[in-house]
Amino acid sequence: MKTTTIEIAKSEGSLFARLEVPANGKVRHYAIFAHCFTCNSNLSVVRYISRTLTNHGFGVVRFDFTGLGRSSGEFADSNFSGNVQDLITVAEYLEKQYEAPAMLIGHSLGGAAVLAAAAQLDSIKAIVTIGAPAEVDHVTHLFADGLNEIEQTGSAEVNIGGRPFRIKKQFVDDLKSRNLLETVKGLKIPYLIMHSPQDLTVGIENAAKLYHAAFHPKSFISLDGADHLLTNKIDAIYVADMIGTWAGKYFPELDEDMISTKGEQVVVHLDLENNFTSEVFTPHHTLIADEPKSVGGEDLGPSPYELLNASLGACTVMTLKMYAQRKGWDLQEVFCYLTYSKKHTDDLPEDLEVEATGQIDHIQKTLEFVGDLDEKQRERLKQIASKCPVHKTLTSPTIIDTKLI
């Protein structure tokens, strides 16, 4: 994934945005992500979804609404209609500079905004909402304690998510003037609704109303156990993966030729803005590699040494399967447990023949067989496990020839 910071001019001020595209720079379609009420485009779930969609060929713009994050303006002067206009402004920018967006994704009130914006954008071919309200004025319950003051004085400072915001009467009036369900009834494009049954901010009944109002093709995915902001990384990644998979149904060409490996077997790409999160591509597959948080990573995928262990383990069990089948042995399942570490040669078992001295790389490989095998067969399978191609590569002299492009 490659990230570009952009500034999108509007009638007054500008919108701060990030455009994220596939690592090979080849964008099949563009999408826009609208964040939740009072949030910003750097929320973890926004970043996870953007990164995942780039693996499916999307270019994704995530931006800050007026008065939030790094966009100009005052939040107090904004309203829902202004948020919808911000989305349209971003869409017009994409159409002018790149290509009109094909998909809109919105979280919470951002979900309501993408529904309203989609009704005004002919290029939109699919919509996704996450924890979105069915009635736009539902958001007023977040600052219900300040409604009387807003009505009487025209504005009030309220606390939302532990942060102070000034809300004006025009913001409340604008929310009340919107009929979101009627808007949804007018949309005749694929619509994915994602919502948690345990959402305490926007209740699950909102998803039911949106689903009932929408026309097919419509889909619903339950985010069981997730909170409204998807603060649990596992929930955020799940949402990202599901959107990417669902989008493949309506943009099937996205699954083809994600990136050129330039004739090589694997290419790994890292945009330094993404810390250690790296994309690993083969001609037909992709996965994420990362480092754990303990060493400064985001833990979004296996670490390099975990991938090394995975390669050895996969090759081992595949080799054992082929050998047992050829022999006609009753091997039903194989488990291969691996751990990499640095060890001193003095700490190794005496039966291991090691010529080196001092600290060396050590991989502990433990096998578990399921099936009706006698002790002789089990011992032979243990010997075969050391003869798999990756095992031989790791234990034989290997030359790594590094070149520059």
Side-chain angles (χ1 to χ4, degrees):
M1 181 186 70
K2 298 179 179 178
T3 303
T4 303
T5 298
I6 55 180
E7 190 172 308
I8 302 173
K10 56 178 192 154
S11 57
E12 294 183 7
S14 61
L15 299 172
F16 173 83
R18 290 182 176 89
L19 170 61
E20 295 170 330
V21 301
N24 64 350
K26 297 179 180 179
V27 178
R28 306 263 185 162
H29 298 283
Y30 285 89
I32 302 174
F33 195 109
H35 61 72
C36 60
F37 181 55
T38 72
C39 299
N40 62 64
S41 62
N42 205 39
L43 191 70
S44 59
V45 65
V46 184
R47 290 185 284 112
Y48 296 150
I49 290 173
S50 296
R51 292 172 181 175
T52 299
L53 285 176
T54 62
N55 291 337
H56 290 264
F58 275 98
V60 184
V61 172
R62 48 186 175 100
F63 72 100
D64 295 331
F65 282 117
T66 295
L68 294 171
R70 295 169 64 179
S71 288
S72 63
E74 294 294 329
F75 178 82
D77 295 328
S78 67
N79 54 31
F80 181 74
S81 295
N83 289 348
V84 175
Q85 185 55 52
D86 285 349
L87 267 164
I88 293 173
T89 298
V90 174
E92 290 173 344
Y93 172 87
L94 273 176
E95 183 173 15
K96 182 179 180 180
Q97 300 294 329
Y98 301 94
E99 181 183 292
M103 183 163 66
L104 297 179
I105 307 165
H107 183 202
S108 191
L109 190 62
V114 303
L115 292 170
Q120 303 179 52
L121 296 170
D122 294 335
S123 66
I124 302 304
K125 302 296 188 293
I127 308 172
V128 180
T129 61
I130 307 162
E135 290 91 14
V136 178
D137 64 350
H138 171 85
V139 76
T140 58
H141 86 279
L142 294 175
F143 47 87
D145 293 343
L147 286 176
N148 287 337
E149 183 180 348
I150 293 171
E151 192 66 33
Q152 293 173 8
T153 68
S155 70
E157 186 171 283
V158 300
N159 187 289
I160 304 174
R163 298 166 57 201
F165 292 91
R166 179 154 293 277
I167 303 292
K168 292 184 177 180
K169 188 174 184 298
Q170 57 89 16
F171 186 97
V172 178
D173 292 342
D174 183 60
L175 291 176
K176 292 180 178 179
S177 70
R178 292 278 180 167
N179 189 328
L180 191 61
L181 292 178
E182 284 301 314
T183 300
V184 172
K185 290 178 181 178
L187 298 175
K188 306 292 174 56
I189 55 179
Y191 178 20
L192 172 61
I193 301 167
M194 310 183 82
H195 213 114
S196 168
Q198 293 83 21
D199 192 328
L200 300 179
T201 303
V202 180
I204 187 64
E205 66 277 4
N206 287 272
K209 292 177 182 179
L210 290 170
Y211 188 87
H212 180 73
F215 282 85
H216 283 293
K218 54 186 176 180
S219 305
F220 171 74
I221 294 179
S222 176
L223 307 178
D224 188 36
D227 59 27
H228 181 68
L229 292 179
L230 302 174
T231 52
N232 187 320
K233 182 185 69 175
I234 294 176
D235 294 324
I237 293 176
Y238 174 76
V239 166
D241 288 339
M242 290 300 99
I243 293 175
T245 301
W246 177 83
K249 170 72 175 178
Y250 302 103
F251 303 93
E253 71 275 16
L254 297 178
D255 292 330
E256 302 173 4
D257 302 326
M258 286 296 95
I259 188 170
S260 170
T261 60
K262 299 185 183 298
E264 306 296 343
Q265 296 171 350
V266 174
V267 58
V268 182
H269 172 258
L270 171 62
D271 185 323
L272 270 64
E273 184 175 288
N274 298 323
N275 206 1
F276 293 116
T277 306
S278 306
E279 297 164 296
V280 182
F281 298 91
T282 70
H284 304 292
H285 303 283
T286 180
L287 66 150
I288 297 295
D290 208 337
E291 289 284 7
K293 289 189 174 182
S294 60
V295 295
E298 294 191 60
D299 200 24
L300 296 180
S303 70
Y305 274 108
E306 287 172 337
L307 289 172
L308 178 68
N309 283 339
S311 176
L312 175 58
C315 189
T316 297
V317 298
M318 291 176 187
T319 300
L320 291 173
K321 166 190 165 62
M322 290 188 292
Y323 185 84
Q325 285 185 335
R326 189 165 64 248
K327 290 290 188 178
W329 294 353
D330 184 36
L331 178 63
Q332 300 170 14
E333 296 180 61
V334 184
F335 294 88
C336 184
Y337 305 91
L338 303 108
T339 297
Y340 167 85
S341 64
K342 288 278 191 181
K343 284 194 174 183
H344 196 282
T345 52
D346 292 342
D347 297 326
L348 297 176
E350 293 183 359
D351 59 339
L352 289 180
E353 297 181 3
V354 181
E355 296 182 1
T357 59
Q359 293 284 342
I360 63 170
D361 296 293
H362 178 266
I363 295 177
Q364 178 68 54
K365 183 198 288 189
T366 303
L367 301 170
E368 180 181 358
F369 302 135
V370 177
D372 186 13
L373 302 167
D374 59 35
E375 195 56 37
K376 185 176 180 180
Q377 290 170 329
R378 287 167 54 83
E379 188 61 33
R380 181 56 180 162
L381 288 173
K382 177 186 174 184
Q383 296 172 2
I384 295 300
S386 299
K387 299 181 183 299
C388 82
V390 173
H391 189 119
K392 289 182 177 179
T393 298
L394 290 173
T395 55
S396 64
T398 301
I399 295 175
I400 301 176
D401 186 7
T402 303
K403 299 177 180 179
L404 290 175
I405 293 178

